[in-house]
Amino acid sequence: MNYFLTEEQQFIREISAKIAKEKILPVRAELDEAQEFPWEIVKVLADSNLFGVYIEEKYGGTGGGVLDLCIAVEELSRVCGGISLCLAATALGTFPLILFGSEAQKQKYLPGIAEGKKIVAFALTESGAGSDAGAIQTTARREGDYYVINGTKQWITNGGEASIYTVIAMTDKARGSRGASAFIVEKETPGFTFGKKENKMGIRASATRELIFQDCRVPVENLLGKEGQGFIVAMKTFDASRPGVAAQALGIAQGALDEAVTYARQREQFGKPIISFQGIQFMLADMATKVEASRALVYAVARAVDRGETKIAKESAMAKLFASDMAMQVTVDAVQILGGYGYMKEYPVEKMMRDAKITQIYEGTNQIQRTIIASHLVKEQAGRK
Amino acid sequence: MNIIVCIKQVPDTTSVRIDPETRTLVREGVPSIINPFDMFAIEEGIRLKEKHGGKVIVLTLGPPQAEDALREAISLGADEAIHLCDVAFKGSDTLATSFALSAGIRKIGAFDLIICGKQASDGDTAQVGPGIAVQLNIPQIIFVRRIEEIQEGAIVVERISEEGFDVVRSALPALISVVKEINQPRLPSLKGKMKAKKAEITKWGIAEIGVDPGRVGLDGSPTWVEKIFSPPEREAHEPWHGEPDDLVKKLADELEKAKII
Ligand SMILES: Cc1cc2nc3c(=O)[nH]c(=O)nc-3n(C[C@H](O)[C@H](O)[C@H](O)COP(=O)(O)OP(=O)(O)OC[C@H]3O[C@@H](n4cnc5c(N)ncnc54)[C@H](O)[C@@H]3O)c2cc1C
Ligand SMILES: Cc1cc2nc3c(=O)[nH]c(=O)nc-3n(C[C@H](O)[C@H](O)[C@H](O)COP(=O)(O)OP(=O)(O)OC[C@H]3O[C@@H](n4cnc5c(N)ncnc54)[C@H](O)[C@@H]3O)c2cc1C
């Protein structure tokens, strides 16, 4: 369907599709198997300017927005939802800087990010604080011109590979959810090391790692926004980043649908191609309809964010929820259509199914998305009376 | 250094279908691409520019839509693009094509190096590059797989041959044609694409390059295609196994039977 994308967005799709086909397709199975971070692809994405599509031109980007990012992530995820995450997670770590960074912070960090020379990570989750982000234990204590960070973050995407980390830590535990703050921490900062590297079900070409802070001294100029704004930074970041996760799910699903259609046309049973069976046709038709419905929602939300809509938390949650649940269903169905072959590693759909699962879990589980949506429903109705 | 890269727009043969009825190529709706070998020529030109400074000018002779090929070259990093476009060029053979291209190059003026692809994926003659060199009376080195170095007024390259490769040194300006081993072409960038969209493309017809209409197009093309046909399929061959002495005897018998000896 024609979404009337700008010429620049069409170029982004074209370039991303070319990279996916020529550079990612040949290595995706291997990187998945070896759990290897895609540094060579990062270089290609960087040279093609894809790391800067949502960053302002004055900081070296191409001046697009969330929709531009979504298109790149979708197109790359069509071929590999693990490799595409190096870009999507960099954006997740960069939005706090775009939304809350001072001019000096932006000038210092954004150009390197836009160029793809520096990749970024976002660190909120801890072993005891997943959905309940307010339970984080990592602290940041002010000491003169520094904050001293102590604690351990868990399951951080791009962990160990990124050179810039946005870290949420408690500056004043007594103030509860108003006691958290967001910091920019550079990789080489003394007292900042990396722990366990996770062995995962899917998105295996993405690095997921523990971050360990032991008396890690970060200069006060690295505080993002104001002290106490940490969770606001996180929530506003998610409003902007969730369409990106949704786009990852969308791409994975589209990739699985493409594979299923191709296979169903080729595979013959009972003397004819299996696509001639109405049972298969109906599955494919449902899959395609769900994919398109997700795309329409994801693009609409991304466009709204880009046009400056700030009350977007509910719809942003909807896009992430709908597209990720859809991707799980569609990839499961794709495996079903490929039958036993779908279960084998020689075909890509088993990987797509493994990769799709994470999109229902991270950046807020889909249960959490539902609680966000429901809380807005309640608020909206209460406000009307 | 000033580098001129000659590129040709060709049909994307990977998406050409064969009509099952007529058994000919279905050309309608087939997208056009830059001749794959010319992608290596563009890449090498850009790398030389990045290393030695100067500029890369891409040049094509072709119908109006060949402009897309020039824009793509700009998106990859070429600085200027010149399109030789005139109805008078229609039907040009390799002689007329190289004649027109060399006239265009003379009009461009000073240059150090011309880079062509090894051959075009459609015409396949590998004649245009050498033809240009002859017209311009400059040295040519074809099938280059590596540029070893560029010195003051000279170039040293490795040229593939059937046995291996030759190291050849030539004075500049010169023309080289490149093979796919020479590099790995980069992918287009978003900034490059945006720049290419706005880029000014110079268009020259026969008047601008000052060529006589009789030297280009059908009138300027002595090549005459008598007939086009598919070569007959070769008969299945039969491998022989055995002791050398027996095989030699068998071979002699067969040759005698076929009245060859
Ligand atoms: C591969 C991977 C990459 C990740 N990358 C990052 C990253 O880059 N940065 C980062 O900060 N974090 C990251 N995370 C963490 C991720 O965001 C969390 O896993 C997620 O928020 C859920 O937290 P949890 O795993 O602790 O689950 P829990 O919060 O323990 O939830 C367990 C189950 O309970 C449900 N549940 C919890 N609360 C409720 C409720 N109130 N109502 C209904 N159901 C509820 C959940 O939906 C879930 O089904 C990553 C995780 C993974 C697996
Ligand atoms: C026998 C014969 C008859 C032909 N008759 C006709 C005809 O009647 N009508 C007709 O339209 N065509 C005709 N052609 C096609 C035409 O001659 C060729 O398309 C053209 O001359 C280029 O030759 P080529 O494709 O073999 O390129 P090659 O010589 O294989 O190309 C080598 C390199 O030269 C450069 N180059 C080639 N062509 C161009 C170009 N146009 N612009 C810039 N650089 C270029 C590129 O760098 C390319 O990699 C005929 C070809 C042959 C062999």
Side-chain angles (χ1 to χ4, degrees):
Chain A
M1 192 177 129
N2 188 346
Y3 285 95
F4 297 95
L5 302 176
T6 63
E7 189 152 44
E8 198 157 327
Q9 287 161 348
Q10 290 172 41
F11 284 150
I12 292 173
R13 188 184 292 289
E14 214 178 283
I15 293 170
S16 307
K18 204 171 165 79
I19 294 173
K21 185 173 153 216
E22 291 180 18
K23 304 285 176 185
I24 299 181
L25 187 63
V27 300
R28 67 173 172 193
E30 199 183 312
L31 297 191
D32 176 66
E33 188 68 30
Q35 296 212 75
E36 195 183 316
F37 191 77
W39 273 114
E40 277 182 27
I41 309 291
V42 168
K43 168 117 193 9
V44 175
L45 298 177
D47 289 343
S48 305
N49 308 126
L50 292 184
F51 277 101
V53 295
Y54 59 96
I55 295 174
E56 276 181 83
E57 277 173 278
K58 64 173 168 176
Y59 303 119
T62 54
V66 173
L67 182 53
D68 301 66
L69 172 68
C70 284
I71 290 164
V73 171
E74 175 191 355
E75 213 54 55
L76 299 171
S77 303
R78 250 172 110 155
V79 171
C80 182
I83 292 174
S84 66
L85 191 55
C86 65
L87 173 59
T90 288
L92 170 68
T94 306
F95 283 126
L97 199 53
I98 292 174
L99 297 169
F100 293 89
S102 65
E103 186 54 39
Q105 288 169 335
K106 287 183 183 179
Q107 276 180 13
K108 182 168 177 196
Y109 294 108
L110 288 180
I113 299 170
E115 264 184 86
K117 292 230 168 83
K118 300 201 158 162
I119 68 165
V120 190
F122 178 82
L124 174 62
T125 305
E126 298 176 7
S127 61
S131 301
D132 183 9
I136 57 170
Q137 297 296 319
T138 298
T139 56
R141 189 179 71 243
R142 176 89 188 240
E143 259 183 31
D145 289 341
Y146 288 87
Y147 283 97
V148 183
I149 304 182
N150 277 289
T152 301
K153 294 289 176 186
Q154 173 177 282
W155 301 342
I156 304 310
T157 302
N158 286 346
E161 313 294 339
S163 24
I164 301 169
Y165 296 78
T166 310
V167 180
I168 312 290
M170 300 304 291
T171 34
D172 186 354
K173 274 196 174 162
R175 298 194 64 204
S177 68
R178 286 171 189 214
S181 303
F183 299 92
I184 303 164
V185 185
E186 293 182 36
K187 189 177 186 180
E188 307 300 337
T189 314
F192 175 21
T193 53
F194 302 99
K196 189 175 168 223
K197 231 180 178 167
E198 302 298 338
N199 184 3
K200 305 189 293 287
M201 171 201 272
I203 54 161
R204 287 165 59 86
S206 172
T208 313
R209 206 159 171 192
E210 218 171 37
L211 314 185
I212 301 165
F213 299 95
Q214 289 165 304
D215 290 328
C216 171
R217 292 164 72 81
V218 174
V220 285
E221 18 341 332
N222 286 21
L223 174 70
L224 272 168
K226 297 196 191 86
E227 224 181 78
Q229 269 192 329
F231 287 123
I232 297 176
V233 170
M235 295 312 131
K236 290 285 167 199
T237 291
F238 288 144
D239 289 353
S241 70
R242 280 182 182 137
V245 182
Q248 181 194 16
L250 172 61
I252 295 171
Q254 180 70 59
L257 172 62
D258 296 342
E259 294 292 340
V261 174
T262 307
Y263 184 84
R265 294 182 61 205
Q266 282 165 2
R267 173 70 171 172
E268 290 192 9
Q269 287 294 280
F270 302 99
K272 44 185 134 149
I274 61 169
I275 202 160
S276 65
F277 304 131
Q278 206 174 44
I280 298 286
Q281 289 177 5
F282 281 13
M283 275 174 88
L284 289 170
D286 285 342
M287 290 157 76
T289 307
K290 288 177 202 168
V291 168
E292 207 56 62
S294 302
R295 185 172 289 120
L297 178 59
V298 174
Y299 287 13
V301 172
R303 265 205 184 106
V305 174
D306 293 340
R307 300 259 164 104
E309 179 58 87
T310 51
K311 292 196 183 102
I312 199 74
K314 181 182 73 177
E315 290 79 10
S316 190
M318 286 173 168
K320 192 271 184 185
L321 165 68
F322 192 77
S324 60
D325 279 355
M326 175 285 292
M328 200 65 241
Q329 294 161 8
V330 166
T331 54
V332 167
D333 285 349
V335 172
Q336 192 65 23
I337 288 172
L338 270 77
Y341 292 101
Y343 200 73
M344 302 298 158
K345 295 218 177 216
E346 280 74 20
Y347 285 84
V349 288
E350 63 80 28
K351 172 181 178 295
M352 291 166 169
M353 181 176 144
R354 289 186 281 113
D355 289 349
K357 185 63 208 172
I358 192 61
T359 62
Q360 295 179 301
I361 298 172
Y362 61 18
E363 284 191 43
T365 65
N366 281 4
Q367 285 71 29
I368 293 304
Q369 306 304 323
R370 289 182 173 90
T371 64
I372 294 170
I373 297 163
S375 75
H376 279 85
L377 295 179
V378 173
K379 259 191 260 167
E380 282 164 16
Q381 180 125 115
R384 242 182 263 144
K385 287 204 185 123
Chain B
M1 73 189 288
N2 282 350
I3 302 151
I4 297 172
V5 179
C6 296
I7 66 172
K8 183 184 184 190
Q9 192 183 48
V10 297
D12 184 359
T13 45
T14 56
S15 55
V16 168
R17 287 181 306 114
I18 308 227
D19 186 324
E21 301 272 291
T22 63
R23 292 175 177 249
T24 56
L25 298 183
V26 182
R27 284 190 180 262
E28 288 79 50
V30 174
S32 294
I33 57 168
I34 293 177
N35 172 38
F37 281 109
D38 300 350
M39 294 299 283
F40 301 98
I42 295 169
E43 177 67 30
E44 202 58 25
I46 296 168
R47 287 188 190 187
L48 287 175
K49 175 187 81 166
E50 285 169 352
K51 201 162 155 202
H52 302 283
K55 66 180 174 184
V56 174
I57 302 169
V58 278
L59 173 67
T60 195
L61 181 149
Q65 69 265 26
E67 191 183 311
D68 295 344
L70 293 173
R71 288 199 191 276
E72 189 178 339
I74 289 178
S75 80
L76 294 166
D79 302 277
E80 289 171 31
I82 296 166
H83 188 179
L84 303 186
C85 189
D86 197 315
V87 282
F89 294 136
K90 207 169 165 222
S92 295
D93 66 2
T94 53
L95 178 71
T97 302
S98 17
F99 180 75
L101 287 168
S102 60
I105 291 167
R106 274 201 201 91
K107 183 167 163 98
I108 291 171
F111 64 89
D112 300 290
L113 185 66
I114 300 172
I115 311 178
C116 287
K118 175 183 168 225
Q119 69 203 76
S121 63
D122 56 349
D124 240 359
T125 66
Q127 288 175 4
V128 172
I132 295 169
V134 168
Q135 299 281 356
L136 295 173
N137 199 18
I138 56 170
Q140 53 171 295
I141 314 169
I142 61 166
F143 300 174
V144 170
R145 70 162 198 190
R146 195 166 94 87
I147 294 180
E148 270 187 10
E149 62 177 314
I150 304 257
Q151 304 156 340
E152 196 54 47
I155 186 169
V156 183
V157 302
E158 288 177 14
R159 168 180 72 184
I160 55 162
S161 64
E162 300 213 333
E163 294 82 29
F165 68 92
D166 308 324
V167 178
V168 183
R169 185 172 188 280
S170 162
L172 290 177
L175 179 142
I176 63 171
S177 83
V178 298
V179 295
K180 66 179 192 302
E181 289 77 10
I182 196 162
N183 58 43
Q184 220 192 358
R186 68 195 65 193
L187 294 175
S189 71
L190 182 55
K191 286 183 184 177
K193 286 247 182 205
M194 296 310 286
K195 180 177 155 222
K197 200 192 111 201
K198 292 182 218 129
E200 194 85 41
I201 307 259
T202 306
K203 288 213 188 275
W204 290 338
I206 51 165
E208 283 87 355
I209 58 172
V211 302
D212 173 353
R215 294 292 307 269
V216 294
L218 282 177
D219 291 346
S221 298
T223 313
W224 176 255
V225 180
E226 184 76 24
K227 181 175 150 204
I228 294 180
F229 60 96
S230 314
E233 267 184 49
R234 280 197 224 163
E235 280 173 41
H237 66 282
E238 178 194 346
W240 292 345
H241 303 279
E243 291 303 314
D245 285 349
D246 300 340
L247 292 179
V248 168
K249 191 173 174 311
K250 191 171 171 188
L251 178 65
D253 290 349
E254 288 293 325
L255 290 175
E256 223 166 281
K257 233 193 282 171
K259 297 199 170 35
I260 293 171
I261 51 173

